[in-house]
Amino acid sequence: MRILPSNVDADAVIEVGRYLDDHAKTIPVSLSEALRIVRRSIGGSSISESGLEELIVESAATRHLTIQLDNR
């Protein structure tokens, strides 16, 4: 995974990691579901929707998880 910028939301990184660590390895990670669940967990975070999408995709790729791009 690339080095994160200094203004990244640490709560978002932690929640994405928790979500992906608990996700089954054999089922694709639904981007829309991950966004919904992580956004609900971090509440009023300042991370943008596209920033959160990028974080989820990069974190899932690092864990060698399949990603289902079903957001839009």
Side-chain angles (χ1 to χ4, degrees):
M1 191 166 162
R2 69 178 166 87
I3 297 175
L4 297 172
S6 62
N7 62 351
V8 72
D9 186 344
D11 291 333
V13 174
I14 291 168
E15 287 304 318
V16 167
R18 285 182 185 162
Y19 176 78
L20 295 175
D21 287 344
D22 292 342
H23 196 276
K25 304 287 186 219
T26 58
I27 300 172
V29 175
S30 166
L31 186 56
S32 63
E33 181 180 344
L35 282 168
R36 183 179 50 82
I37 291 171
V38 171
R39 181 63 73 188
R40 186 176 46 200
S41 297
I42 59 177
S45 173
S46 62
I47 191 168
S48 68
E49 200 70 14
S50 62
L52 187 55
E53 282 180 9
E54 187 176 339
L55 180 61
I56 291 168
V57 169
E58 286 187 13
S59 297
T62 300
R63 290 170 171 80
H64 303 286
L65 297 172
T66 306
I67 304 163
Q68 183 177 357
L69 301 174
D70 60 353
N71 190 29
R72 297 180 194 161

